[in-house]
């Protein structure tokens, strides 16, 4: 991210934000409510319009490119080409209620990646195995618990074989007893794959276990960054100390 | 006043015939076409570039805010001004009337149905669109696989109500001399000035068709809730 800015009307949420995530790195964003964590992930997913600056994925500009000293908007086709490499799991799952679990998972592989239905379904079975929901393959989302729905949503995102996975508070809408299974699935994804992950979470133990680096945000800026052990046990910044104390 | 039961029973046959041949045909064909057109307008209102969208919205408003009988007469007038009857000498006048009727009913009711679809589309949460974007689904696929099926579920009951409303408006066809059931009743009654009987029969036929449909729609509505 280079000089990234985001304004909602007159409200400037991000301004001159710069940070880089390495390939295969897992980074957790923490920070008080309203500090812009969700906004960053949504900008990466192209769900929000970038007000200023540039976002690069593996060197390729995502929505805006620098041409000389002009900032030009990229055509949709180009945006889609890059966006296919990014997947996202939402706080509210956002499964398609009119489709079965299997249809949810194979929709994009079939219609975006051009896989055959059989091929995509075989992969869906593997993914559902991974998230422990193989027997729910033909169920409708409405018949699943929140935790199960979220695990299907993770499988759906993984089915696109993303290089980058964005996870925005994926357990905060869940009943406490359902959080564990979802986090376990994500731990495994972190263990078994080299997908780059950008996550926002209040589950500090989980963040410590899976992430290589933690960024502390406040008012749209990175005020501190460190390895998780350091950040959670021995933060430097006063704001970080206060924030961590408040949530622990 | 006397009610001539025998005369009324005699009228049932021909009226039912007119009902099946005209009223039902116009309603069914009209509803199906209106439902398709309405969907096209509703999607168009979200996808078309702003100037075209504004024109479309304006045209839909104009159609919705002018009376149906006038639109029927207008359609015939246009047809005549293009020398329509002479261009299709083979086709009989009633058939042409019915085709024009179906066209006008479809377009008229499509404007109402478009509003229903619009509400159905708006009732779909932002999260659905965002999930579709996150999966990079092509726009057409988002509509076909995600938005329209869900919107349809929300819209179907209201489409049914519009179809029933259209059904009850079919007597307006008599202004363009299409022999639908009420026109037929008027003709039958006119021969002996016994209107009460024939109109009662026509009314009962309407009721017998629309009441069960309405009940069915209500049942369907309950079933459609997730
Ligand atoms: N669609 C929007 N329209 C207007 N303002 C918005 C919109 N989305 C976010 N904001 C504002 O942007 C700021 C940052 O919001 P964001 O959701 O990114 O914060 P966050 O760090 O994710 O907070 P939380 O921990 O509560 O999820 C907030 O002040 C919020 O009010
Ligand atoms: Mg947030």
């Amino acid at each position: 991210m280079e000089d990234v800015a985001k304004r909602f009307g007159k409200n400037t949420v991000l301004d001159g934000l710069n940070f880089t995530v390495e390939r295969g790195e897992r980074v957790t964003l923490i920070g008080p409510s309203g500090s812009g964590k969700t906004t960053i992930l949504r900008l990466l997913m192209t769900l929000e319009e970038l007000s200023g600056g540039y976002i690069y994925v593996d060197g390729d500009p995502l929505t805006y490119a620098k041409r000389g000293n002009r900032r030009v908007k990229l055509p949709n086709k180009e945006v889609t080409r890059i966006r296919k490499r990014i997947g996202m799991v939402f706080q509210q799952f956002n499964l398609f209620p009119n489709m079965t679990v299997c249809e949810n998972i194979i929709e994009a592989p079939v219609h975006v990646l051009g896989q055959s239905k059989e091929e995509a379904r075989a992969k869906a079975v593997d993914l559902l195995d991974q998230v422990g929901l193989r027997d729910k393959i033909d169920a409708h989302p409405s018949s699943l618990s929140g935790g199960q729905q979220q695990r299907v949503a993770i499988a759906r995102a993984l089915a696109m074989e993303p290089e980058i996975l964005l996870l925005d508070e994926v357990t905060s809408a869940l009943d406490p007893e359902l959080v564990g299974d979802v986090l376990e699935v994500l731990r495994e994804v972190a263990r078994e794959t080299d997908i780059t992950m950008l996550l926002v979470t209040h589950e500090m133990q989980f963040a410590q276990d899976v992430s290589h680096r933690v960024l502390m945000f406040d008012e749209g800026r990175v005020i501190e960054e460190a390895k998780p052990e350091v950040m959670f046990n021995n933060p430097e910044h006063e704001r970080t100390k206060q924030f961590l104390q408040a949530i622990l | 006043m006397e009610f001539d039961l025998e005369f009324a029973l005699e009228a049932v046959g021909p009226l039912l015939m007119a009902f099946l041949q005209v009223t039902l045909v116009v309603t069914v064909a009209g509803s199906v076409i209106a439902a398709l057109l309405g969907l096209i307008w509703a999607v168009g209102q979200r996808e078309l570039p702003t100037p075209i969208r504004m024109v479309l919205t304006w045209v839909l408003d104009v159609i919705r805010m002018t009376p149906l009988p006038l639109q029927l007469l207008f359609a015939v007038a246009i047809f005549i001004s293009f020398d329509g009857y002479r261009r299709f000498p083979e086709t009989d006048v009633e058939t042409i009337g019915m085709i024009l009727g179906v066209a006008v009913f479809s377009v008229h009711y499509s404007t109402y149905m478009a509003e229903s679809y619009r509400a159905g589309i708006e009732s779909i949460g932002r999260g659905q669109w965002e999930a579709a974007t996150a999966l990079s689904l092509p726009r057409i696929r988002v509509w076909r696989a995600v938005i329209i099926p869900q919107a349809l579920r929300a819209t179907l009951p209201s489409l049914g109500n519009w179809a029933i409303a259209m059904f009850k408006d079919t007597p307006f066809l008599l202004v363009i001399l299409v022999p639908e059931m009420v026109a037929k009743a008027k003709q039958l009654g006119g021969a002996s000035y016994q209107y009460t009987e024939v109109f009662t029969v026509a009314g009962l036929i309407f009721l017998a068709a629309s009441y069960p449909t309405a009940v069915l729609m209500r049942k369907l509505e309950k079933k459609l809730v997730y």
Side-chain angles (χ1 to χ4, degrees):
Chain A
M1 293 210 155
E2 186 182 320
D3 292 328
V4 162
K6 177 64 192 173
R7 290 176 285 276
F8 291 106
K10 282 196 174 143
N11 177 15
T12 301
V13 177
L14 304 173
D15 192 17
L17 177 69
N18 290 282
F19 73 89
T20 307
V21 175
E22 298 301 327
R23 192 196 289 257
E25 194 183 17
R26 295 185 291 274
V27 175
T28 298
L29 312 182
I30 59 170
S33 182
S35 58
K37 307 177 299 287
T38 295
T39 305
I40 291 168
L41 299 194
R42 290 174 59 81
L43 284 169
L44 274 162
M45 198 67 260
T46 71
L47 298 174
E48 300 286 356
E49 174 81 15
L50 196 57
S51 315
Y54 308 89
I55 296 173
Y56 297 97
V57 176
D58 218 359
D60 293 325
L62 178 64
T63 43
Y64 284 87
K66 226 185 276 183
R67 296 273 154 77
N69 47 12
R70 286 212 345 257
R71 183 171 174 269
V72 294
K73 196 176 168 127
L74 293 169
N76 272 334
K77 228 173 117 186
E78 180 67 11
V79 175
T80 304
R81 191 173 70 82
I82 312 286
R83 184 177 47 209
K84 279 183 205 164
R85 300 155 67 179
I86 309 176
M88 183 162 185
V89 180
F90 299 85
Q91 195 174 340
Q92 300 296 338
F93 336 133
N94 294 343
L95 292 178
F96 304 129
N98 57 313
M99 299 184 196
T100 64
V101 166
C102 182
E103 288 166 345
N104 263 280
I105 297 173
I106 70 170
E107 175 64 27
V110 170
H111 294 278
V112 181
L113 301 181
Q115 293 176 4
S116 73
K117 280 205 173 145
E118 296 70 36
E119 186 188 354
R121 188 171 165 108
K123 282 187 185 158
V125 171
D126 287 345
L127 284 166
L128 285 171
D129 254 342
Q130 245 184 69
V131 302
L133 291 172
R134 189 182 185 150
D135 55 325
K136 300 289 184 193
I137 186 158
D138 292 314
H140 271 274
S142 56
S143 68
L144 304 180
S145 73
Q148 292 172 329
Q149 287 190 49
Q150 192 59 299
R151 283 184 279 155
V152 173
I154 293 168
R156 179 174 72 174
L158 291 175
M160 284 295 281
E161 293 167 12
E163 291 163 36
I164 302 172
L165 189 59
L166 310 172
L167 304 158
D168 188 12
E169 299 194 31
V170 295
T171 57
S172 5
L174 300 177
D175 292 336
E177 72 271 19
L178 302 176
V179 170
D181 287 342
V182 172
L183 293 184
E184 194 39 56
V185 164
L186 290 174
R187 279 197 172 91
E188 197 180 311
V189 174
R191 246 192 335 263
E192 312 272 305
T193 72
D194 52 3
I195 300 174
T196 308
M197 287 189 181
L198 221 62
L199 32 121
V200 176
T201 181
H202 295 307
E203 302 285 339
M204 292 305 157
Q205 187 56 50
F206 170 70
Q208 185 157 348
D209 294 347
V210 302
S211 48
H212 300 110
R213 190 152 57 108
V214 179
L215 303 182
M216 168 73 192
F217 273 82
D218 195 23
E219 292 173 350
R221 289 174 185 282
V222 183
I223 58 166
E224 184 166 358
E225 68 165 280
K227 285 195 182 313
E229 311 82 77
V230 178
M231 181 70 91
F232 294 136
N233 300 320
N234 203 358
E236 257 174 37
H237 225 277
E238 202 49 44
R239 278 295 283 146
T240 316
K241 282 181 198 160
Q242 282 168 11
F243 171 72
L244 288 172
Q245 233 147 43
I247 63 163
L248 289 178
Chain B
M1 194 192 85
E2 253 175 55
F3 191 90
D4 186 343
L5 191 60
E6 200 173 320
F7 181 63
L9 288 176
E10 258 168 40
V12 171
L15 289 186
L16 213 51
M17 205 63 185
F19 175 79
L20 293 174
Q21 282 176 346
V22 181
T23 310
L24 215 55
V25 172
V26 172
T27 308
V28 172
S31 305
V32 171
I33 301 172
L36 285 173
L37 285 178
L39 183 60
I40 293 171
W41 307 149
V43 174
Q45 281 183 311
R46 299 204 41 146
E47 291 291 319
L48 292 169
T50 312
I52 304 177
R53 202 179 57 214
M54 278 163 66
V55 173
L56 175 62
T57 304
W58 181 80
V59 171
L60 294 181
D61 281 345
V62 168
I63 295 172
R64 209 178 311 115
M65 288 173 202
T66 47
L68 186 56
L70 182 68
Q71 289 171 6
L72 285 166
L73 291 168
F74 194 69
V76 172
I78 290 179
F79 188 73
I80 290 170
S81 74
F82 280 100
D83 230 4
Y85 289 106
R86 213 166 315 151
R87 279 175 205 233
F88 302 99
E90 315 282 275
T91 321
D92 61 82
V93 178
E94 276 101 29
T95 309
I96 289 175
M98 259 177 73
I99 292 170
L100 289 175
V102 168
V104 171
F105 273 81
S106 311
V107 170
H108 187 86
Y109 273 93
S110 73
T111 64
Y112 290 105
M113 290 186 180
E115 286 295 295
S116 301
Y117 280 118
R118 207 177 67 169
I121 291 165
E122 275 167 13
S123 74
I124 296 169
R126 208 173 58 156
Q128 293 290 305
W129 293 95
E130 293 184 345
T133 304
L135 293 168
S136 293
L137 291 182
R139 198 72 178 167
I140 296 186
R141 199 56 206 164
V142 180
W143 280 107
R144 263 204 51 194
V146 180
I147 303 302
I148 291 176
Q150 292 183 54
L152 216 53
R153 244 181 131 102
T155 312
L156 223 49
S158 143
L159 295 186
N161 286 332
W162 288 124
I164 293 174
M166 181 192 293
F167 176 64
K168 291 188 296 168
D169 270 357
T170 48
F172 281 133
L173 284 170
L174 65 79
V175 305
I176 59 167
L177 308 179
V178 173
E180 57 64 66
M181 185 174 56
V182 174
K184 188 85 192 166
K186 198 165 160 242
Q187 184 199 332
L188 287 177
S192 54
Y193 295 101
Q194 286 176 291
Y195 287 112
T196 319
E197 289 81 357
V198 286
F199 288 151
T200 306
V201 172
L204 286 174
I205 293 176
F206 264 111
L207 200 62
S210 60
Y211 188 73
T213 314
V215 173
L216 216 73
M217 291 303 310
R218 232 169 282 157
K219 280 219 176 105
L220 188 71
E221 199 170 331
K222 286 208 186 96
K223 241 192 174 166
L224 282 174
V225 179
Y226 278 115

